[in-house]
Amino acid sequence: MRFDKPATTNPIDQLKVVGQPIHRVDGPLKTTGRAVYAYEWHDPNNRYAYGYVVGSAIAKGRIKSIDVTAARRAPGVIAVVTSDGVGELKKGKYNTAKLFGGREIQHYHQAIAVVVAETFEEARAAAALVKVDYIEEKGAFDLAAAKDTAVKPEEGGSDSAAGDFDAAFETAPVKLDQVYTTPDQSHAMMEPHASIAAWNGEELTVWTSSQMIDWWRTDLATTLGIDKAKVHVMSPFVGGGFGAKLFLRADAVLAALAAREAKRPVKVALPRPFLMNNTTHRPATIQRIRIGAERDGRITAIAHESWSGDLPGGGPEVAVQQTRLLYAGENRMTAMRLATLDLPEGNAMRAPGEAPGMMALEIAIDEMAERLGHDPVEFRIVNDTQVDPENPERPFSHRNLVACLRTGAERFGWQDRSKQPGGRREGNWLVGMGVASAFRNNLLVPSGARVRLDREGIVTVETDMTDIGTGSYTIIAQTAAEMLGVPIDKVAVRLGDSRFPVSSGSGGQFGGNCSTAGVYAACIKLREAVAQRLGFNNAEGLVFARGEVRAGERSMSLAQAASDEVLVAEDRIEFGKLAETHQQSTFGAHFVEVGVDVATGETRIRRMLAVCAAGRILNPITARSQVIGAMTMGVGAALSEELVVDKERGFFVNHDLAAYEVPVHADVPHQEVAFLDETDPISSPMKAKGIAELGLCGVAAAAANAIYNATGIRVRDYPITLDKLIKGLPELS
Amino acid sequence: MRAFSYQRASSIEEAAKAAVGTEGAKFIAGGTNLLDLMKLEIETPTHLIDVNGLGLDRVEPTPEGGLRIGALVRNTDLAADERIRRDYALLSRALLAGASAQLRNRATTAGNLLQRTRCPYFYDTNQPCNKRQPGSGCAALAGFSRQLAVVGVSDACIASHPSDMAVAMRVLDAAVETVRADGTRRSIPIAELHRLPGDTPHIEHVLERSELITAVVLPKPLGGKQIYRKVRDRASYAFALVSIGAVVQPDGTGRVAIGGIAPKPWREEAVDNELANGAKAAAAKLLANARPTEQNAFKLTLVERTLSAVLAEARG
């Protein structure tokens, strides 16, 4: 199905199942431990061996020699695989650094060997016996130091401009010119990367933890130099990803190579400390923002420049892209510059670009509102735009940022905010409120699905879509149930298997809308097949409800259509030019109240509210869950999360969950989420958009602005830890 | 993790004998720190002597009016003990400020005192660390040191002691009772249990090889207002940037010890007399010989301000 005209009324609009607060259908499997995650697959006929990764002990240089003699002799060891032994491997399309390093070391903890043994413990003990001689080289690890060497990235789109920024900024009566920094961050999802690989002749099956089945399948085939058709990837349950599992990772490659060598299925999980340095991370940024405005609050000039670093061949963190679209202003420019750093690979993490970009932009907007003497909510509203400000002929498909801000202000009690920073104190707490816009684009990715109907009236959906804790199983079941007029318990959903039609996968908050749109397309085809089988003239005008198919007086049971043989329909949603003619985005407003301890500078969140306008909400329970999770991640970004770079040794030092501090329950006392009741027919037949990353964009800035409101101290370097506040806090008596 | 042998000791004598007789033997109680260290091969004992069966798990009154806390009393049980909550509230609060409920259920009184630093370089066996590998150097000095010690440090090591409980024990002047391999017993004042790093940061306490802690003894209750204030980046499940244990009497005199800033709970008895003069004077004296890094110099201000808040709370 090609979607190139705005959606009109369709069966989804019935909202009997879609849009209902249905608990996740895979919940019982998870709460009873029956959902099988990557490392847990167990076939009693298989004798699994265990692989343990050896990571580089240096950040940059060469391997002079690897001595695996002792490791090979260690108890239980079946094989030791080094990159010397497997020859040159190709690199997958989506990887920047090699997943299995050769003699050249590109980053700390880059995989250089895998030790395979009868037990995990034997493999781990033997891995410690691998002796490596390195020739260490000096590397570049400090973004601030490398900033001046940064260049315009090769792939286009790094710069944009409209009007004459310099002239307009020069003459603007009120101006801001500030620099903000965001640190490297780790996905830190619960389930580490893990894979089991098994060879059957030339055929390879990998059970893994992947957000994007087809990307993994393709890149695994490329890396190993085998035919993609011979690779089978399974990932039905994923314990969180946040972008860490978008792209093929070392565990899958090493498991495949180890299994070939061991001639047995091999399990490989990355130990937790490998997550930070072996895999990818959100790159740090340095951002300069300039804003010029008239005294009435209208922005006349806005510029956003960002510097980030990556390994050679990598890309920039696209931190400026929201500034191109969020606020009005005739004269504008954005630019991104990329430095070469020898840190681990920078890549996508939840709301890549948007999240760090909004962390900076939305402080800048708060600062500008203050300079103008305007309320930060009103300042944002004054500068709302209904068109792409760089291309005014291009409207937003649907944009209701203003209602998010107004609704949020009212629900949060914004009028009680002290206009004077440091003006509200409760006991030892300095209390403040902050606001930020939430803004994340809506991406459209083709997505396929297959739908089966059997004689019992059971509808089975098959798609390689993944559920990374987001609720894909549930919203897909809702979609099929709505389309075919059956209760949700008559729908079975099978995901995360490369034998199923290729889907959008889970990333960029496109999975919810696109994968259900793909299921919608397949269901339209199945409806046609049902109509034909039951002897209706055509599917149009047919009513699918309560397990029956009805046209006028004539009514048949849906199951009867499959009485002779299972009915199967497959289709794929593809998106036309609507994303070019219209800017599709999602909107929201984040409100945060913080307390800052007047003595110690500890910041504790007191309450948070997100108001979101993101098209149709397919399931308010799973959508809310996405948003509160994102808000929590935003609290981490604001207050504690930072991969600390050792600038001498070139690695992220705090590489475990004790030292890389994500929020715990005690940090997140009260969260409220509201969704505006809206649809976006230009987005898809579902009229839905993404929500999972919107929930993150702006949160940290709202917290930063609340800290400023509480203390009068403006911190422009995340995370806002107490050491950045303590010198500015009031004298104690 | 290296392969090791394991034995369950059923008496103190058996445990001591096994420890003396086996090179590379270590006692294990709760194992909340040791097992992590073994997995990373930072600790590589060849033999583990499980002391959980020794019955040292009671809290009993002493003739002097204090309490003897068995070495194996779990942190959870100790924090919940009615006598501790009533007479040594500081200790209960310090315990509950540490770790998580799951860890406290497992962690023991003696083990808590002997837990090792959380310096990230100590935990990464690819990095130099004089504590882990004597003579290899200290990567923390020029590296990530925000969490680490500012006083009692040396050029060889700036690791901080992570315990909350030990800070309270130090304020309360607890004594550590041990038994040595030859069966002789001794009592070590908590102030003398931990050693400063000097040139030998790998030697962290004065216990002899195979000496076993059997109990921690609290003197009779101090009364007064008992406060434990832990300052950290997140609200729970984080080690202290700075923590303050304080007992303040109605007349303004008292005792104070600081956590998170030194290789051991940091207390100077002379400072107790300064408390009535306010936080500034007391903090200045406590930190007189501080040698912070650029990254952890904020702790000096933080100690003073936190102490100020603690004293204000005590007065209030």
Side-chain angles (χ1 to χ4, degrees):
Chain A
M1 174 182 290
R2 191 165 171 81
F3 184 76
D4 48 15
K5 286 194 285 294
T8 53
T9 302
N10 68 40
I12 297 297
D13 294 324
Q14 301 172 93
L15 298 182
K16 288 179 185 158
V17 196
V18 170
Q20 297 302 315
I22 292 169
H23 285 284
R24 51 185 78 214
V25 296
D26 50 332
L29 285 180
K30 288 181 174 170
T31 52
T32 56
R34 285 175 297 153
V36 180
Y37 289 82
Y39 201 73
E40 302 170 337
W41 284 86
H42 185 78
D43 176 349
N45 298 312
N46 273 336
R47 267 195 326 134
Y48 294 96
Y50 294 81
Y52 197 87
V53 185
V54 179
S56 167
I58 64 164
K60 186 173 165 67
R62 295 187 63 75
I63 295 175
K64 202 164 143 193
S65 65
I66 300 190
D67 180 359
V68 299
T69 322
R72 272 196 217 281
R73 283 198 202 118
V77 169
I78 299 163
V80 181
V81 182
T82 66
S83 49
D84 277 357
V86 300
E88 189 74 12
L89 296 174
K90 289 212 181 69
K91 198 153 61 66
K93 176 181 167 192
Y94 293 103
N95 299 127
T96 304
K98 283 189 167 181
L99 297 178
F100 197 28
R103 287 265 155 162
E104 189 201 341
I105 298 298
Q106 296 173 289
H107 64 86
Y108 191 68
H109 272 177
Q110 187 170 28
I112 54 174
V114 57
V115 178
V116 190
E118 296 290 343
T119 69
F120 170 78
E121 289 76 10
E122 286 169 334
R124 182 174 59 186
L129 299 175
V130 173
K131 297 250 181 319
V132 188
D133 256 351
Y134 299 97
I135 305 164
E136 214 168 338
E137 289 166 24
K138 271 195 111 50
F141 309 116
D142 182 351
L143 176 62
K147 178 174 172 261
D148 291 340
T149 67
V151 297
K152 190 169 170 173
E154 277 171 23
E155 72 268 33
S158 63
D159 294 27
S160 72
D164 183 345
F165 169 78
D166 288 332
F169 185 69
E170 182 67 35
T171 57
V174 183
K175 285 191 245 199
L176 174 91
D177 182 352
Q178 280 295 354
V179 174
Y180 307 84
T181 67
T182 64
D184 298 285
Q185 293 177 340
S186 178
H187 307 84
M189 66 284 166
M190 215 42 157
E191 182 202 26
H193 299 80
S195 294
I196 305 174
W199 291 89
N200 181 9
E202 294 294 299
E203 308 240 335
L204 171 66
T205 301
V206 176
W207 293 264
T208 190
S209 187
S210 158
Q211 297 176 226
M212 307 291 289
I213 299 296
D214 195 57
W215 289 5
W216 280 60
R217 185 187 191 201
T218 308
D219 272 355
L220 186 54
T222 303
T223 306
L224 299 175
I226 60 175
D227 183 1
K228 179 179 167 183
K230 293 201 158 60
V231 178
H232 175 201
V233 175
M234 296 272 291
S235 183
F237 293 103
V238 179
F242 309 123
K245 297 167 180 173
L246 284 169
F247 317 116
L248 179 71
R249 295 308 319 162
D251 54 304
V253 175
L254 296 178
L257 294 169
R260 191 153 68 187
E261 185 82 11
K263 301 185 171 53
R264 277 162 61 174
V266 173
K267 297 188 173 200
V268 175
L270 295 187
R272 180 65 71 184
F274 272 58
L275 178 57
M276 284 73 180
N277 287 287
N278 174 272
T279 75
T280 61
H281 64 279
R282 186 200 298 287
T285 63
I286 298 169
Q287 302 178 45
R288 181 188 185 196
I289 295 178
R290 285 171 288 169
I291 305 175
E294 295 294 331
R295 295 201 186 279
D296 64 5
R298 281 180 303 115
I299 293 172
T300 52
I302 184 163
H304 191 166
E305 296 156 275
S306 176
W307 291 261
S308 61
D310 202 357
L311 289 163
E317 180 71 5
V318 289
V320 306
Q321 74 179 15
Q322 297 314 80
T323 304
R324 294 174 180 167
L325 293 161
L326 184 49
Y327 298 114
E330 273 180 33
N331 305 288
R332 32 207 320 135
M333 69 82 80
T334 69
M336 293 180 277
R337 295 293 176 266
L338 179 62
T340 298
L341 291 181
D342 299 298
L343 290 169
E345 175 178 333
N347 218 319
M349 178 169 144
R350 199 176 201 172
E354 288 94 344
M358 294 289 283
M359 285 166 80
L361 176 64
E362 288 300 284
I363 294 183
I365 291 291
D366 199 67
E367 294 198 64
M368 196 63 192
E370 187 184 35
R371 284 187 191 194
L372 286 157
H374 286 205
D375 181 274
V377 170
E378 293 305 320
F379 179 54
R380 287 175 170 88
I381 289 171
V382 163
N383 287 291
D384 185 49
T385 174
Q386 292 296 315
V387 296
D388 172 351
E390 287 183 359
N391 304 287
E393 71 287 355
R394 189 167 166 262
F396 281 90
S397 61
H398 186 79
R399 169 168 166 141
N400 209 351
L401 173 64
V402 171
C404 294
L405 288 161
R406 288 216 194 283
T407 307
E410 191 181 322
R411 286 178 79 138
F412 202 68
W414 182 251
Q415 74 278 5
D416 297 334
R417 169 180 172 267
S418 166
K419 298 208 169 20
Q420 200 56 44
R424 181 173 161 204
R425 181 161 172 177
E426 294 177 13
N428 289 329
W429 295 103
L430 302 170
V431 180
M433 289 188 207
V435 65
S437 297
F439 180 42
R440 205 311 187 192
N441 295 337
N442 185 56
L443 307 179
L444 298 170
V445 180
S447 194
R450 187 156 58 219
V451 193
R452 302 169 184 276
L453 174 69
D454 72 12
R455 66 171 66 177
E456 308 295 328
I458 303 288
V459 177
T460 302
V461 185
E462 294 173 339
T463 163
D464 86 353
M465 179 61 187
T466 48
D467 188 325
I468 59 173
T470 39
S472 310
Y473 278 103
T474 311
I475 57 173
I476 285 172
Q478 287 174 275
T479 303
E482 192 80 75
M483 291 299 292
L484 297 165
V486 297
I488 195 163
D489 60 5
K490 297 282 186 208
V491 181
V493 180
R494 301 176 65 195
L495 301 181
D497 187 327
S498 61
R499 290 170 298 195
F500 301 154
V502 174
S503 72
S504 63
S506 300
Q509 77 168 15
F510 51 69
N513 176 46
C514 297
S515 72
T516 52
V519 173
Y520 171 95
C523 286
I524 290 283
K525 276 216 165 146
L526 186 64
R527 285 165 65 111
E528 287 162 4
V530 166
Q532 192 183 21
R533 189 67 66 86
L534 294 179
F536 291 99
N537 287 339
N538 59 55
E540 266 179 56
L542 278 189
V543 177
F544 286 68
R546 292 188 214 90
E548 293 181 339
V549 186
R550 213 171 55 237
E553 293 299 299
R554 185 164 178 244
S555 172
M556 310 268 289
S557 125
L558 177 69
Q560 205 177 320
S563 57
D564 292 340
E565 61 174 325
V566 172
L567 272 187
V568 185
E570 182 175 332
D571 201 3
R572 168 184 170 87
I573 190 91
E574 283 173 0
F575 297 93
K577 289 196 185 297
L578 290 174
E580 291 162 36
T581 56
H582 295 74
Q583 175 56 38
Q584 298 190 22
S585 300
T586 60
F587 305 89
H590 287 292
F591 290 82
V592 175
E593 183 178 284
V594 301
V596 179
D597 188 292
V598 70
T600 64
E602 289 162 292
T603 299
R604 299 289 179 249
I605 304 289
R606 289 159 65 102
R607 57 196 183 99
M608 314 174 75
L609 165 68
V611 181
C612 303
R616 171 172 283 151
I617 299 303
L618 300 176
N619 181 329
I621 292 179
T622 54
R624 177 179 182 277
S625 180
Q626 282 301 295
V627 177
I628 61 172
M631 290 159 81
T632 304
M633 192 176 254
V635 171
L639 302 181
S640 62
E641 290 186 42
E642 173 178 17
L643 285 170
V644 178
V645 180
D646 185 311
K647 290 168 189 164
E648 280 295 310
R649 317 189 70 81
F651 74 112
F652 299 126
V653 186
N654 49 343
H655 50 55
D656 59 36
L657 290 184
Y660 183 85
E661 291 190 8
V662 299
V664 295
H665 280 285
D667 292 306
V668 189
H670 184 80
Q671 296 176 316
E672 200 187 334
V673 181
F675 298 110
L676 297 188
D677 190 8
E678 64 169 41
T679 56
D680 191 339
I682 293 174
S683 165
S684 84
M686 304 302 292
K687 304 174 188 172
K689 292 189 281 200
I691 190 82
E693 300 188 345
L694 177 68
L696 172 61
C697 295
V699 177
N705 296 337
I707 291 169
Y708 175 73
N709 183 241
T711 62
I713 305 166
R714 184 67 78 178
V715 180
R716 301 181 183 89
D717 303 298
Y718 291 99
I720 306 175
T721 45
L722 59 86
D723 44 299
K724 296 171 188 171
L725 296 170
I726 197 160
K727 297 271 189 210
L729 292 170
E731 279 288 316
L732 298 175
S733 54
Chain B
M1 188 183 276
R2 303 254 180 98
F4 59 92
S5 52
Y6 171 86
Q7 105 183 67
R8 228 174 244 156
S10 54
S11 69
I12 293 172
E13 293 69 33
E14 189 193 339
K17 205 173 141 207
V20 170
T22 321
E23 188 69 31
K26 260 193 141 46
F27 299 119
I28 182 164
T32 56
N33 190 204
L34 181 58
L35 288 177
D36 283 350
L37 294 167
M38 287 171 66
K39 289 175 188 171
L40 296 166
E41 297 202 2
I42 294 159
E43 296 267 15
T44 52
T46 55
H47 184 66
L48 285 186
I49 304 155
D50 186 332
V51 296
N52 284 296
L54 299 188
L56 305 167
D57 57 357
R58 281 184 295 278
V59 181
E60 294 168 322
T62 64
E64 292 76 25
L67 289 175
R68 172 173 284 105
I69 303 161
L72 294 168
V73 173
R74 308 287 155 175
N75 287 177
T76 297
D77 296 331
L78 187 59
D81 187 283
E82 189 187 332
R83 294 158 293 180
I84 298 291
R85 287 168 59 87
R86 184 185 60 220
D87 298 330
Y88 306 93
L90 167 67
L91 177 57
S92 182
R93 288 178 182 132
L95 282 160
L96 293 176
S100 66
Q102 292 90 336
L103 286 167
R104 292 194 297 268
N105 287 343
R106 194 73 206 138
T108 63
T109 306
N112 188 314
L113 291 174
L114 298 185
Q115 66 178 301
R116 309 200 67 187
T117 185
R118 263 53 172 202
C119 174
Y121 296 97
F122 177 68
Y123 274 77
D124 188 333
T125 50
N126 290 324
Q127 307 304 330
C129 170
N130 288 321
K131 187 185 277 298
R132 178 168 32 76
Q133 201 182 346
S136 62
C138 172
L141 271 170
F144 177 40
S145 58
R146 180 171 179 270
Q147 196 82 23
L148 302 178
V150 296
V151 279
V153 297
S154 71
D155 290 338
C157 183
I158 58 170
S160 48
H161 196 271
S163 172
D164 292 297
M165 185 196 80
V167 176
M169 293 290 196
R170 181 71 183 87
V171 176
L172 297 170
D173 271 340
V176 177
E177 292 188 347
T178 69
V179 56
R180 281 179 279 205
D182 60 5
T184 59
R185 291 172 180 268
R186 64 169 169 160
S187 173
I188 306 166
I190 183 92
E192 292 164 25
L193 177 68
H194 298 104
R195 293 170 41 133
L196 293 180
D199 296 332
T200 54
H202 57 293
I203 306 173
E204 296 174 348
H205 51 70
V206 299
L207 299 181
E208 295 169 11
R209 193 166 88 81
S210 68
E211 186 172 6
L212 181 69
I213 296 177
T214 54
V216 177
V217 177
L218 299 177
K220 65 180 198 301
L222 291 172
K225 201 139 188 180
Q226 306 210 348
I227 296 170
Y228 189 74
R229 177 71 166 93
K230 181 173 182 178
V231 182
R232 44 185 160 179
D233 289 320
R234 62 181 172 193
S236 178
Y237 205 49
F239 293 97
L241 292 166
V242 161
S243 70
I244 294 187
V247 175
V248 182
Q249 303 297 344
D251 65 2
T253 63
R255 299 177 180 189
V256 61
I258 319 285
I261 61 163
K264 58 192 275 187
W266 200 249
R267 179 173 168 211
E268 288 188 33
E269 274 74 358
V271 170
D272 293 345
N273 302 323
E274 296 281 345
L275 287 184
N277 299 330
K280 213 177 196 90
K285 208 155 196 172
L286 274 166
L287 301 169
N289 296 312
R291 286 172 54 193
T293 65
E294 197 180 320
Q295 288 186 12
N296 65 18
F298 74 93
K299 288 191 176 189
L300 305 185
T301 315
L302 187 57
V303 167
E304 184 191 315
R305 294 184 67 97
T306 310
L307 185 56
S308 176
V310 164
L311 294 179
E313 187 185 338
R315 282 195 304 271

